[in-house]
């Protein structure tokens, strides 16, 4: 079974019935399924060829806060001359101005950066090294390709350990997200639908679209040639089905892809009389929460499942653009006090910060019309690679006692919703960030600490074998 896989992280999840995640997978250095050797050959050598590593002082004459941003939050408009002649190359000044603005926007709008110290991240050093990299590979009268900018940014973001989904959007994801964000989100004039509509409008601006189209054309060609080359790079089998142990139904879900909902449902339908079912999400770095919300949860519940979550937010100017206010209109209208949130999250260990507000969001998952008469026990296998949408399922299972979780502590970031993007003004590069900091039921920050399994697997143990022993012991 072949599936079109969006590999490389950009967007994430969904924790509310009114929200839909659109395919986030965890990204390391590089973009898509392009190999590191390919990146080294096609990008780094290109950069070295264009810029002979002349030394440039690692400061900017004009800092981000002094830079005018006409048309915020959209990139600067092309001049009539540039629209027809400017190609996919950018100067040192354009890149460094964007770099400074990027960090200013992240600090103003992402609630996660205050957690960097707790994760052992020297944020100022990360910023300095990233800026220095551009300064060293570019000199006066030198330019860099758009794909080189994406590669260099994600090279630096890797040091953030995937804090708050911060990443440069890869071109393959851009192609998908242009239409995906506004699907299955309801009314586009209010609530989460409005946020996604505004995000789609921002990310499909002329400058950004031209940038990513240049990169996609360079990498994959055009038309049918592009479709063929893209398929060769990013198509993979996503579902494995079988029996394990004494004939226990087993399904391996490698990524959360909404295209697999029917197949997941068919598997559950065929095994609704089973006493145990094992769902293996080890190695699943995310995707779209619809895959598990509609594929697993909705057909197995008999009554609506209601959830209540506390989110920490920052009311930065970009967030206010998306939300049309100081907080989203799908959260409860009044920020909650420290005393109120500590009642909900009694062991909250995140930092207090004057720039953060705490809001309450309620959500519901409703049963599907087709209900399966499964009365057995679900088992979920996880590991340290489980992230974003797959972590959201882990979090749901833990909070709702929906499945017994076996494996290792996950990587988290499953308690929020679809990341938002910054469109950098000079280059049009898109930067993703989580606008909501989420928490586990014990009060720990989900994006930092992940989710603890019910049965933790020790180093050298196999999660499936541990699970089978636990099933045997429970009978």
């Amino acid at each position: 079974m072949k599936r079109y896989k969006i590999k490389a992280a950009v967007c994430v999840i969904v924790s509310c019935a009114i929200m839909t995640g659109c395919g986030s997978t965890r990204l390391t250095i590089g973009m898509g399924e392009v190999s590191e050797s390919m990146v080294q050959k096609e990008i780094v050598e290109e950069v070295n060829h264009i810029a002979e590593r002349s030394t440039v002082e690692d400061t900017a004459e004009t800092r981000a806060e002094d830079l005018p941003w006409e048309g915020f939050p959209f990139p600067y408009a092309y001049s009539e001359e540039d629209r027809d002649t400017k190609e996919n190359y950018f100067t040192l000044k354009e890149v460094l101005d964007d770099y400074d603005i990027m960090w200013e926007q992240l600090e103003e709008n992402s609630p996660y950066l205050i957690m960097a110290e707790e994760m052992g991240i020297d944020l100022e050093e990360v910023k300095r090294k990233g800026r220095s990299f551009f300064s060293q590979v570019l000199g006066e009268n030198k330019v860099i390709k758009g794909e080189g900018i994406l590669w260099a940014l994600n090279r630096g973001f890797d040091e953030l350990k995937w804090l708050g989904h911060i990443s440069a959007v890869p071109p393959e994801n851009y192609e998908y997200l242009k239409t995906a964000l506004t699907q299955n989100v309801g009314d586009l004039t209010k609530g989460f639908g409005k946020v996604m509509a505004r995000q789609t409008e921002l990310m499909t601006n002329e400058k950004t679209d031209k940038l990513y189209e240049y990169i996609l054309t360079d990498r994959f060609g055009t038309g049918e040639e592009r479709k063929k080359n893209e398929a060769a790079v990013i198509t993979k089998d996503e579902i494995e089905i079988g029996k394990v142990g004494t004939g226990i139904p087993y399904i391996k879900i490698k990524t959360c892809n909404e295209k697999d909902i029917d197949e997941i449902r068919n598997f559950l339908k065929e095994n609704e009389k089973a006493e145990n079912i094992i769902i293996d999400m080890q190695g699943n770095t995310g995707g779209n929460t619809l895959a598990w919300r509609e594929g697993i949860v909705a057909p197995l519940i008999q009554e609506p499942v209601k959830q209540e979550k506390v989110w920490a937010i920052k009311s930065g100017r970009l967030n206010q653009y998306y939300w049309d206010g100081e907080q989203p209109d799908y959260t409860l209208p009044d920020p909650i006090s420290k005393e109120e949130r500590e009642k909900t999250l009694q062991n909250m260990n995140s930092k207090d910060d004057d720039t953060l507000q705490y809001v309450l969001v309620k959500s519901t998952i409703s049963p599907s019309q087709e209900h399966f008469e499964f009365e057995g026990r679900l088992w979920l296998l996880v590991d340290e690679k489980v992230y974003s949408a797959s972590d959201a399922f882990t979090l749901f299972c833990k909070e709702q006692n929906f499945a017994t979780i076996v494996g290792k502590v996950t990587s988290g970031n499953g308690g929020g919703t679809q990341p938002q993007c910054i469109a950098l003004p000079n280059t049009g590069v898109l930067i993703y960030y989580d606008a909501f900091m989420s928490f586990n039921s014990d009060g720990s920050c989900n994006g930092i600490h992940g989710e603890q399994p019910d049965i933790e697997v020790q180093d050298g143990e196999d999660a499936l074998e541990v699970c089978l022993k636990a099933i045997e012991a429970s009978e």
Side-chain angles (χ1 to χ4, degrees):
M1 169 187 51
K2 295 294 184 181
R3 291 289 183 268
Y4 181 81
K5 183 173 184 182
I6 304 298
K7 183 87 177 164
V10 275
C11 47
V12 45
I13 53 183
V14 138
S15 292
C16 302
I18 53 174
M19 307 177 193
T20 303
C22 299
S24 171
T25 55
R26 188 168 182 169
L27 176 70
T28 54
I29 294 176
M31 293 164 287
E33 295 227 14
V34 178
S35 67
E36 186 171 350
S37 61
M38 186 186 302
V39 172
Q40 292 287 342
K41 179 179 179 182
E42 296 186 0
I43 298 176
V44 178
E45 287 187 3
E46 177 71 25
V47 171
N48 289 341
H49 172 71
I50 294 173
E52 297 176 352
R53 294 192 176 273
S54 57
T55 301
V56 177
E57 186 179 358
D58 186 32
T59 58
E61 293 180 2
T62 307
R63 303 304 299 178
E65 58 267 24
D66 302 319
L67 295 169
W69 189 340
E70 296 180 4
F72 175 90
F74 291 85
Y76 302 143
Y78 281 122
S79 66
E80 287 303 316
E81 179 181 3
D82 280 349
R83 177 175 287 108
D84 297 329
T85 61
K86 186 173 179 64
E87 296 189 2
N88 187 29
Y89 295 96
F90 301 93
T91 66
L92 175 63
K93 184 178 188 322
E94 288 174 321
V95 172
L96 291 185
D97 284 355
D98 270 8
Y99 188 82
D100 294 334
I101 287 172
M102 175 190 76
W103 280 109
E104 179 193 52
Q105 289 300 311
L106 287 173
E107 290 174 341
E108 184 179 317
N109 295 282
S110 170
Y112 273 100
L113 292 183
I114 66 168
M115 305 299 291
E117 183 178 352
E118 183 174 329
M119 294 181 67
I121 299 170
D122 185 337
L123 195 57
E124 293 305 313
E125 179 64 9
V126 171
K127 288 191 273 186
R128 188 201 65 78
K129 286 172 66 176
R131 201 171 196 283
S132 178
F133 176 83
F134 285 115
S135 297
Q136 289 172 7
V137 300
L138 286 168
E140 295 300 323
N141 303 317
K142 303 291 185 180
V143 291
I144 185 172
K145 291 180 69 173
E147 189 162 10
I149 298 172
L150 295 178
W151 180 85
L153 287 173
N154 279 326
R155 175 181 180 272
F157 288 148
D158 199 51
E159 295 193 33
L160 293 181
K161 304 174 184 177
W162 254 84
L163 178 64
H165 272 93
I166 295 172
S167 61
V169 175
E172 303 92 286
N173 292 79
Y174 177 74
E175 191 86 331
Y176 170 74
L177 292 170
K178 285 197 296 185
T179 57
L181 290 182
T182 52
Q183 295 177 5
N184 304 308
V185 293
D187 191 341
L188 298 181
T189 65
K190 63 182 181 180
F192 186 67
K194 178 176 66 178
V195 175
M196 292 298 95
R198 289 192 169 197
Q199 177 144 305
T200 300
E201 181 183 15
L202 177 57
M203 69 191 306
T204 56
N205 70 81
E206 182 183 17
K207 183 171 285 185
T208 295
D209 202 57
K210 189 172 183 179
L211 169 78
Y212 281 93
E213 181 59 29
Y214 266 120
I215 297 172
L216 286 165
T217 298
D218 282 348
R219 184 181 296 179
F220 297 121
T222 59
E224 292 302 317
E225 179 188 8
R226 175 182 295 182
K227 291 179 181 179
K228 179 180 178 181
N229 290 335
E230 284 179 337
V233 170
I234 58 181
T235 299
K236 285 197 171 183
D237 295 337
E238 301 303 342
I239 299 290
E240 293 178 3
I241 292 171
K243 304 279 187 178
V244 294
T246 57
I248 300 168
Y250 167 94
I251 182 170
K252 171 79 171 180
I253 302 175
K254 298 180 182 179
T255 193
C256 295
N257 192 328
E258 68 272 26
K259 294 181 180 180
D260 293 325
I261 290 174
D262 288 342
E263 184 155 7
I264 295 170
R265 283 191 172 192
N266 290 338
F267 165 80
L268 294 175
K269 177 66 175 175
E270 291 171 2
N271 295 285
E272 63 180 338
K273 301 301 182 183
E275 294 182 2
N276 297 279
I277 291 177
I278 298 174
I279 300 171
D280 188 350
M281 284 196 175
Q282 294 178 98
N284 185 323
T285 57
N288 191 326
T289 55
L290 278 177
W292 61 263
R293 292 171 64 88
E294 299 297 324
I296 300 174
V297 177
L300 293 182
I301 58 176
Q302 298 184 30
E303 301 292 336
V305 176
K306 296 183 178 181
Q307 294 177 278
E308 187 174 284
K309 293 184 179 296
V310 174
W311 284 344
I313 65 171
K314 283 191 170 186
S315 294
R317 190 159 61 121
L318 183 57
N319 286 342
Q320 290 191 44
Y321 160 78
Y322 282 123
W323 304 338
D324 200 19
E326 292 191 357
Q327 67 184 77
D329 61 8
Y330 51 80
T331 61
L332 298 191
D334 297 320
I336 60 176
S337 67
K338 179 178 180 180
E339 292 74 21
E340 289 174 315
R341 73 174 183 264
E342 286 179 347
K343 290 179 183 177
T344 306
L345 302 171
Q346 296 181 4
N347 298 314
M348 179 179 283
N349 60 4
S350 64
K351 294 182 178 180
D352 283 318
D353 188 281
D354 291 339
T355 65
L356 294 182
Q357 294 184 52
Y358 290 84
V359 296
L360 196 64
V361 60
K362 295 183 178 182
S363 64
T364 302
I365 300 179
S366 299
S368 59
Q369 291 184 348
E370 184 182 16
H371 176 70
F372 304 150
E373 301 298 329
F374 177 69
E375 297 180 355
R377 188 171 179 181
L378 288 178
W379 302 77
L380 175 65
L381 308 186
V382 299
D383 63 8
E384 66 279 359
K385 294 182 181 179
V386 167
Y387 181 79
S388 192
S390 54
D391 179 73
F393 182 52
T394 310
L395 193 60
F396 176 86
C397 291
K398 190 69 172 284
E399 292 177 347
Q400 302 297 325
N401 197 27
F402 187 74
T404 301
I405 305 166
V406 181
K408 291 185 176 292
V409 177
T410 68
S411 287
N413 264 354
T417 184
Q418 176 69 33
Q420 296 170 182
C421 69
I422 306 164
L424 298 180
N426 287 298
T427 61
V429 166
L430 295 175
I431 305 297
Y432 257 111
Y433 69 96
D434 277 332
F436 306 98
M437 184 189 294
S438 60
F439 303 92
N440 297 318
S441 55
D442 66 356
S444 59
C445 178
N446 172 263
I448 306 299
H449 298 286
E451 188 59 58
Q452 186 76 29
D454 299 309
I455 302 174
E456 187 164 5
V457 172
Q458 302 303 312
D459 290 343
E461 291 184 318
D462 180 78
L464 179 56
E465 291 181 2
V466 171
C467 181
L468 291 173
K469 289 178 182 178
I471 292 173
E472 183 180 359
S474 68
E475 293 176 344

